[in-house]
Amino acid sequence: MLFYRIFPAIAAGCAALMDIQRAKVDNGWLLFCVLVSLFTRIWKMDVSSLGSWICGLLVPILILGILFIFRMLGAGDIKLLSVIGSMIGPTKILNCISYSFLIGAVISAALMISSGIVCQRILYLLHYISVYFKTGKKEPYYKSGMPLENFHFTVPIFLSALLYAGGVY
């Protein structure tokens, strides 16, 4: 059904706009989208696919939760991927996550190259990892006073959802 290909891109596109405008994805929008996903499954009388719906909802949380714990990925990004997962299922959400990270890496590399901070960021990441292994403390990746690149990960998620809508995966 065309709806299941198009609606994830619409949900992600609106979330990306919210994130760019307000630096926050509205939980009401995400709840609305997950309810639309649930009710369309029930409306199709496909109760047997509710297991797939639940798995699609949980896979991003289980896989990306560690990145949230270390403050490397926002809760809104994980919730958006969960909403998309509820629509496209647990196997396709893995593709969506992979494409999102690939697109995000390309955008991030372009931003770091254009601002000339590639070496600085790599050294900070290596320092961050070594401090974690020495102390075992989970600290936010960004500390106050650090220059915070305003990178909205909802944009790569939206682009990945567009790839899904276009039939790439």
Side-chain angles (χ1 to χ4, degrees):
M1 181 189 229
L2 186 62
F3 174 78
Y4 289 109
R5 286 227 170 254
I6 302 277
F7 192 68
I10 292 170
C14 290
L17 285 175
M18 285 178 211
D19 193 24
I20 290 168
Q21 289 176 344
R22 297 181 273 172
K24 182 173 174 35
V25 178
D26 185 23
N27 285 332
W29 172 248
L30 297 175
L31 179 63
F32 169 76
C33 292
V34 82
L35 289 175
V36 166
S37 171
L38 176 63
F39 289 133
T40 53
R41 293 228 185 209
I42 293 172
W43 180 60
K44 278 181 35 179
M45 303 280 189
D46 193 8
V47 180
S48 63
S49 69
L50 286 181
S52 173
W53 182 85
I54 292 169
C55 288
L57 195 68
L58 293 178
V59 163
I61 296 167
L62 297 173
I63 291 176
L64 303 173
I66 190 75
L67 295 178
F68 173 73
I69 290 170
F70 285 100
R71 302 294 185 248
M72 294 177 171
L73 193 62
D77 301 321
I78 296 172
K79 289 185 279 187
L80 176 59
L81 284 165
S82 290
V83 167
I84 294 171
S86 74
M87 295 177 209
I88 67 177
T91 54
K92 296 216 188 268
I93 193 60
L94 293 174
N95 292 335
C96 182
I97 291 170
S98 299
Y99 279 109
S100 296
F101 275 91
L102 180 65
I103 294 166
V106 169
I107 292 171
S108 181
L111 289 173
M112 287 192 299
I113 290 169
S114 69
S115 60
I117 60 169
V118 175
C119 291
Q120 175 189 358
R121 298 303 297 161
I122 291 172
L123 289 173
Y124 179 72
L125 176 63
L126 294 174
H127 174 72
Y128 177 82
I129 292 170
S130 70
V131 167
Y132 171 72
F133 282 119
K134 287 178 186 173
T135 64
K137 293 173 75 176
K138 297 178 222 162
E139 294 187 21
Y141 187 70
Y142 285 107
K143 296 184 180 183
S144 62
M146 286 180 62
L148 178 63
E149 294 90 5
N150 199 4
F151 183 76
H152 300 282
F153 194 65
T154 51
V155 174
I157 295 171
F158 168 60
L159 295 173
S160 177
L162 283 178
L163 290 175
Y164 173 74
V168 172
Y169 61 93

